Amino acid sequence: MKRLLILFALIWGLVSCNKNPESDIVIFDRYFPYLSFVIVENGVNIFEADPNTMYEVEVIYNGQTYRYTDETRAVPFFELALHTRPRISPYILYFSDFNQGESGSLTLKFRDNEWKLDFSLTGYFEEDEHYIVNGNEITRDDFFEVFPQHKVLPFNI
């Protein structure tokens, strides 16, 4: 009986992260880190003040340029993209999907502004993530609060 239970557990583990080819539903059993951010001018999220400003943002990562193209996501798609998550807020841009433990640098451009972001997404918790913007470390206290309990990286103009 023990062998049967162990075999069942192994099979269950192998199929726990499976995509159903007949639907867009994806079942995940791991965390995919992401960067969420807003551009702030005089304490105001400019994406909320004028949603069209999201189309002016460029993210340059590993030699490739990413732009927002009306893409929305509810769950990870396994490829990097600049997108929104309307169920959380339509006025936040997300850059994802990174692999667990990924670290690197990217450049964010908006109009005449440019920021270099060094990041380390090394764990499953926000405390394990580290960010440096233009040489200055960003702590959780520096984050921009979009609404209670949801904070994002601020890029200040």
Side-chain angles (χ1 to χ4, degrees):
M1 185 66 176
K2 273 187 177 179
R3 288 183 186 181
L4 185 59
L5 285 173
I6 291 171
L7 180 61
F8 178 74
L10 287 172
I11 291 171
W12 183 260
L14 290 173
V15 299
S16 66
C17 187
N18 187 20
K19 181 170 181 170
N20 181 347
E22 297 176 11
S23 75
D24 290 334
I25 297 173
V26 181
I27 301 169
F28 293 97
D29 62 353
R30 62 182 269 208
Y31 168 72
F32 289 88
Y34 59 86
L35 300 173
S36 59
F37 66 90
V38 295
I39 296 177
V40 179
E41 184 174 34
N42 298 323
V44 175
N45 173 0
I46 66 166
F47 300 152
E48 190 167 2
D50 180 4
N52 288 324
T53 57
M54 291 191 284
Y55 298 100
E56 299 178 55
V57 173
E58 290 182 349
V59 172
I60 301 163
Y61 181 64
N62 287 342
Q64 187 169 348
T65 300
Y66 299 85
R67 293 177 180 85
Y68 175 62
T69 59
D70 289 327
E71 183 173 353
T72 62
R73 294 183 178 182
V75 295
F77 282 20
F78 303 113
E79 62 184 44
L80 285 172
L82 198 55
H83 59 90
T84 59
R85 293 183 180 175
R87 293 181 77 185
I88 296 173
S89 171
Y91 308 115
I92 301 172
L93 280 176
Y94 292 83
F95 187 57
S96 67
D97 295 315
F98 291 100
N99 290 315
Q100 183 64 40
E102 196 158 341
S103 296
S105 295
L106 60 85
T107 301
L108 184 118
K109 293 183 177 184
F110 175 76
R111 296 181 181 162
D112 294 331
N113 301 282
E114 184 174 301
W115 300 270
K116 181 182 180 213
L117 172 66
D118 298 309
F119 62 90
S120 177
L121 308 169
T122 57
Y124 286 93
F125 303 102
E126 293 171 342
E127 297 82 24
D128 298 325
E129 299 173 356
H130 301 282
Y131 308 97
I132 298 172
V133 176
N134 292 342
N136 299 311
E137 186 171 358
I138 301 295
T139 67
R140 298 302 294 168
D141 293 335
D142 299 321
F143 277 44
F144 187 82
E145 188 170 299
V146 177
F147 51 86
Q149 304 302 314
H150 194 79
K151 295 184 175 187
V152 297
L153 280 168
F155 291 95
N156 293 293
I157 293 179

